Amino acid sequence: MAGQAESPRVDALAKACGCERYAVDETPSGCLWAGVRRAGLPHGRIASLDVAPARGLPGVVAVLTRADVPGTNRQGIVHKDQPVLCGQVVRHCGDPVALVVAESREALAAGLAAIQVDLKPLPGVFDPVQALSPDAPLVHSGREGGNLLAHGLMEKGQAGAALAGCDVVVAGRFETPLQDHVFLEPPNGLARLLPSGLLDMIVSTQAPFRDRFEIAQALGLDPLRIRVRAPYLGGGFGGKDGATVQCLLALAALRLPGRWVKMVWSREETFLAGYKRHAAVINLRLGAHADGTLAALDCTMHFDAGPYAHLSGEIMELSLEHAGGPYRIPHTRIEGFCAYTNNPVGGAFRGFGVVQATFAVERAMDLLAKRLGRAVDSLRLQNALRTGEENAVGVPVEPGTDIAACLKAAMAHPFWSQRQAWKQAAPPLTRRGVGLVAVHNAMGYGRGLPDHAAAKLELTRQGTFRLYNSVPDMGQGNAAAFVAMAAKALGQPETAFACVQPDTRVCPPAGSSSASRTTYTFGNALLRACRAMAEKLRTRAALALFCDAPDRLTLVPGGVFDPASGRTVPLALLAGFLLRDDRICIDQFVMPVVADPPDTGHAFKLGFPHRFYSYGACLCGVEVDELTGTVRLAQCLAVVACGRVFSLAGVEQQLQGATAQGAGFTLFEDMAPDQGRIRGADLGAYLIPTALDLPDIACLALPDDEPSGPMGLKGMGEVGIHGPGPAVAQALDDAIGMDVTRLPVAPEAVLSALEDKNA
């Protein structure tokens, strides 16, 4: 456990004191306020839209409709099918039909309320399986393929024949729900068109460099005339990976040049219009030999994309890649369908499709263990992938793959080894159970899409360093990790570094803050820049030290030291002799990919397969109240193998946060969608776990190393979210014999299961 385990994060004090400025904190004097009138109808045709009453109100300075949008009016990361403002048809309740800009928030509210829109309802479709039937209402008319957005097939071996030859085959249908990110800071931002023609923006975004191109494409602008600044985010989890306020703000600023325009979504608007984790329906058959050796998997997945593509196809693709779990399965057939519906828009969310797949395959492993009369832990251990073996989609796994070590560490923990005694000590009217599962999660974009980052490091005139961070920090701590990495690489104290948050005008480009790739990819680029800086400083210092062998010089805090002469050149003195261009080092990194990909997923040109994975195990102990049906997560252990630990505190914080989010997905969070409308549309109805709902989450980070990673680490921001769903389900089976096939687990379902067992 090397590194910065005991070092406080450099940004901790500013955040704890409330001094750190987030995008939502920026309200320039005299700024305008922008807001959107939403459809409020899951599917309908705009018969009329009268904005004149709003335009006539005091304080309202502009009301814009589809006719005011230049460019394509289409936004989207890969597939651009989502309108900035709707013109004829609305396809979900959160669709925008008009944009209002006003002098105050009060005038904005009045203007939004004054808009008169007449929507003629159209038949809707709200189930991803039903959406693919020939007679289903069409979300996008005239589209080849109807409501089918994406289809994928990954095959290895002969799954059908192998299943027929299995001694045991289990089958199940598993359902996972929509989930909202519930980040603290809602989608928001500012935009201003400067006299020079530059569109200046400050946005709570996970992808400032990609935003430029998305805005430019939607509004017909030159992307290089757009500047996006991304301060720290108050949470993102994927919900800010893609346009929220960006295009709307840009449109408003174009119409009202010279003045800042601000937009902040309310919590209710975020529920209504923000992206959601995809609901999924998964049918799965898993076969094994009598000794428990896995033989074949046949899996079909249906993903609910909502009305626009966003990243739905890519999320489905990653789900297919993870459908076999971290297990050795020689024959697989994994098919996916992604369907348009009139539900909320599906999008990126921590776990990016893997959450759904993990729940299904781990539940199937439980069914298999029961049929075979095997312990759930030993069956998983027997089939755990090892280095060099092929995963479920035919990719040989890299060294460092140690599912078995994760499982063994969990099995050695008292939560598992002493579980029988813990269960027997349950209070009256309470039953206890314990579950243990294995998890994995790929890192990065995958093959076909360059997973890149460029890093810039500057020696200031004062002899300190300025680090230009190109990937937003949404709370996971990557900015602090970058400072710690650079300080260690250059032998300087962390206080010698200032970290510039992403700004497309001064930082070199990088990909998004997502996909467990941020610290790995940018960290590698940064360390390359640090090496270049160290070499430059030694070379420049050699001139002052009359040293003809710069390699013997070493960097010491605040200077460059010559061990031969015992002399040191202060960095401040050295910087004074250098031009700014000579005080800057820039380098870059592109994540390595699988060199010889298998033909198992040939239909996927982007994102398949992945080369690096983090692995883990999750153990959950639950208490079931026999009177109320409520389930309390009483014990939780997260084990992870994620390369070398650079910051133990950082790893634990990621695991604890991800596990808590997984527990919410499992036991609390229910959007209760009904015909395209969200009934759990605020935090009074959509419940997320609080500190009182969670136990102290124990974490184990196993010794590991990833040679290609910066200082040996791998990305691990997502792997912790996968365990609670299937582990709690297994624990409920252990406690009350409940067969959990859908999430979240409601008390009513628990009571029903108890009644069935007691009947």
Side-chain angles (χ1 to χ4, degrees):
M1 306 294 178
Q4 311 300 314
E6 304 304 325
S7 298
R9 284 165 51 163
V10 294
D11 51 10
L13 183 61
K15 289 182 174 178
C17 295
C19 300
E20 189 60 57
R21 305 287 294 179
Y22 294 74
V24 76
D25 294 322
E26 304 298 336
T27 308
S29 177
C31 77
L32 298 167
W33 292 84
V36 171
R37 175 67 181 264
R38 305 280 174 186
L41 186 72
H43 199 193
R45 185 170 300 283
I46 301 175
S48 66
L49 178 61
D50 185 0
V51 300
R55 283 180 174 147
L57 290 175
V60 173
V61 296
V63 182
L64 307 177
T65 67
R66 165 67 184 94
D68 300 300
V69 183
T72 66
N73 189 43
R74 288 292 181 272
Q75 53 190 338
I77 295 175
V78 179
H79 310 280
K80 300 190 182 301
D81 62 357
Q82 184 170 0
V84 178
L85 289 174
C86 295
Q88 297 180 326
V89 176
V90 297
R91 296 182 173 86
H92 79 119
C93 290
D95 256 341
V97 296
L99 173 65
V100 177
V101 187
E103 294 283 358
S104 67
R105 301 184 84 163
E106 293 74 19
L108 173 62
L112 290 170
I115 293 172
Q116 296 176 9
V117 54
D118 181 14
L119 294 169
K120 301 300 183 187
L122 294 171
V125 60
F126 309 102
D127 180 281
V129 179
Q130 295 175 4
L132 300 182
S133 66
D135 56 349
L138 293 176
V139 179
H140 297 269
S141 60
R143 185 179 180 279
E144 186 178 353
N147 289 325
L148 179 64
L149 165 62
H151 169 255
L153 178 63
M154 296 187 185
E155 285 188 289
K156 184 181 72 167
Q158 300 294 327
L163 279 168
C166 286
D167 297 310
V168 177
V169 176
V170 295
R173 174 187 172 95
F174 306 97
E175 298 179 39
T176 60
L178 296 169
Q179 187 182 19
D180 193 271
H181 306 78
V182 199
F183 28 63
L184 281 175
E185 182 195 20
N188 77 96
L190 288 157
R192 177 178 59 167
L193 185 63
L194 298 173
S196 65
L198 180 72
L199 183 62
D200 190 12
M201 305 186 72
I202 303 172
V203 185
S204 184
T205 175
Q206 294 175 231
F209 289 93
R210 193 181 60 218
D211 283 350
R212 292 186 304 174
F213 292 96
E214 191 159 358
I215 296 166
Q217 201 276 340
L219 302 182
L221 304 176
D222 178 355
L224 297 183
R225 304 294 293 174
I226 302 171
R227 176 191 186 187
V228 180
R229 289 179 269 173
Y232 282 106
L233 280 68
F237 311 116
K240 297 171 184 172
D241 189 8
T244 53
V245 300
Q246 288 91 324
C247 295
L248 295 164
L249 274 172
L251 176 62
L254 290 176
R255 285 297 297 263
L256 299 159
R259 296 185 67 177
W260 282 110
V261 183
K262 179 166 181 166
M263 175 180 283
V264 184
W265 289 6
S266 66
R267 180 65 61 189
E268 290 75 14
E269 188 175 18
T270 306
F271 271 106
L272 182 66
Y275 307 111
K276 307 288 180 278
R277 184 189 301 287
H278 295 75
V281 179
I282 301 171
N283 288 281
L284 184 151
R285 290 193 299 154
L286 181 63
H289 302 303
D291 67 352
T293 303
L294 295 179
L297 168 72
D298 186 357
C299 178
T300 303
M301 301 177 164
H302 285 81
F303 279 77
D304 184 346
Y308 304 116
H310 192 50
L311 285 168
S312 297
E314 291 67 34
I315 289 168
M316 179 195 73
E317 177 182 336
L318 201 66
S319 195
L320 301 183
E321 191 175 343
H322 286 75
Y327 302 115
R328 188 185 323 110
I329 310 176
H331 301 277
T332 57
R333 184 183 190 280
I334 307 164
E335 188 170 22
F337 300 89
C338 202
Y340 285 119
T341 70
N342 297 110
N343 287 322
V345 184
F349 199 137
R350 188 183 212 163
F352 206 79
V354 184
V355 170
Q356 297 91 326
T358 302
F359 178 67
V361 71
E362 289 298 316
R363 291 303 291 139
M365 289 293 285
D366 292 340
L367 293 174
L368 194 60
K370 190 173 288 187
R371 284 282 303 278
L372 289 166
R374 291 281 304 273
V376 293
D377 53 356
S378 74
L379 183 65
R380 286 171 166 82
L381 202 57
Q382 175 185 346
N383 290 285
L385 275 170
R386 295 186 294 255
T387 297
E389 295 178 337
E390 285 188 358
N391 65 16
V393 292
V395 179
V397 297
E398 294 281 317
T401 303
D402 214 334
I403 292 297
C406 294
L407 285 167
K408 289 176 180 175
M411 291 160 64
H413 195 277
F415 286 174
W416 189 250
S417 61
Q418 300 174 18
R419 63 190 184 282
Q420 296 303 335
W422 182 72
K423 291 192 294 185
Q424 290 168 8
L429 299 175
T430 301
R431 298 195 202 180
R432 286 175 170 173
V434 182
L436 172 63
V437 300
V439 296
H440 67 157
N441 200 104
M443 180 178 71
Y445 297 155
R447 199 170 190 272
L449 185 64
D451 196 341
H452 75 98
K456 177 173 147 183
L457 189 64
E458 178 181 4
L459 174 69
T460 70
R461 280 280 187 190
Q462 294 72 38
T464 58
F465 295 91
R466 190 172 292 125
L467 190 164
Y468 294 83
N469 174 23
S470 296
V471 278
D473 187 334
M474 51 183 161
Q476 73 270 45
N478 57 289
F482 297 150
V483 169
M485 282 182 177
K488 187 172 184 178
L490 293 173
Q492 306 298 314
E494 292 182 17
T495 52
F497 290 80
C499 188
V500 177
Q501 295 308 313
D503 180 337
T504 59
R505 189 179 66 172
V506 299
C507 299
S512 57
S513 181
S514 63
S516 296
R517 45 89 60 191
T518 308
T519 307
Y520 176 92
T521 311
F522 187 82
N524 267 318
L526 177 62
L527 291 183
R528 290 186 178 196
C530 288
R531 287 192 286 271
M533 177 65 77
E535 183 178 356
K536 181 194 292 281
L537 293 177
R538 284 194 298 267
T539 303
R540 301 293 183 271
L543 301 174
L545 292 167
F546 296 102
C547 169
D548 57 4
D551 289 346
R552 78 172 184 231
L553 304 180
T554 59
L555 270 67
V556 297
V560 182
F561 173 66
D562 184 355
S565 66
R567 297 172 60 204
T568 299
V569 179
L571 291 177
L573 180 65
L574 196 60
F577 290 102
L578 302 180
L579 299 173
R580 183 167 187 259
D581 286 353
D582 202 25
R583 289 186 276 111
I584 292 175
C585 289
I586 298 176
D587 215 321
Q588 58 192 350
F589 179 80
V590 179
M591 184 181 291
V593 297
V594 174
D596 186 19
D599 196 35
T600 51
H602 54 83
F604 296 105
K605 304 301 181 186
L606 301 175
F608 176 84
H610 289 75
R611 178 171 172 179
F612 302 109
Y613 291 77
S614 289
Y615 299 93
C618 179
L619 185 157
C620 290
V622 301
E623 290 184 339
V624 181
D625 188 315
E626 294 180 88
L627 295 179
T628 65
T630 56
V631 178
R632 187 176 80 89
L633 182 60
Q635 296 179 335
C636 189
L637 168 70
V639 182
V640 67
C642 59
R644 188 174 298 170
V645 173
F646 180 70
S647 165
L648 182 58
V651 169
E652 290 180 342
Q653 288 161 4
Q654 284 289 303
L655 286 176
Q656 289 166 350
T659 302
Q661 209 161 31
F665 182 67
T666 304
L667 292 173
F668 296 92
E669 300 180 39
D670 186 359
M671 307 204 75
D674 180 15
Q675 299 292 296
R677 301 177 189 274
I678 303 171
R679 289 181 294 168
D682 57 47
L683 290 179
Y686 186 84
L687 305 181
I688 61 173
T690 69
L692 295 177
D693 298 311
L694 298 169
D696 291 336
I697 298 169
C699 301
L700 287 176
L702 302 184
D704 196 8
D705 182 41
E706 172 46 55
S708 71
M711 299 183 177
L713 65 79
K714 284 194 282 191
M716 49 76 60
E718 297 173 277
V719 68
I721 198 171
H722 305 308
V728 166
Q730 187 191 111
L732 283 169
D733 192 5
D734 186 42
I736 61 172
M738 182 180 183
D739 181 17
V740 177
T741 58
R742 63 186 303 170
L743 300 177
V745 180
E748 293 83 357
V750 175
L751 288 174
S752 177
L754 283 168
E755 289 174 2
D756 290 345
K757 295 298 177 184
N758 294 330

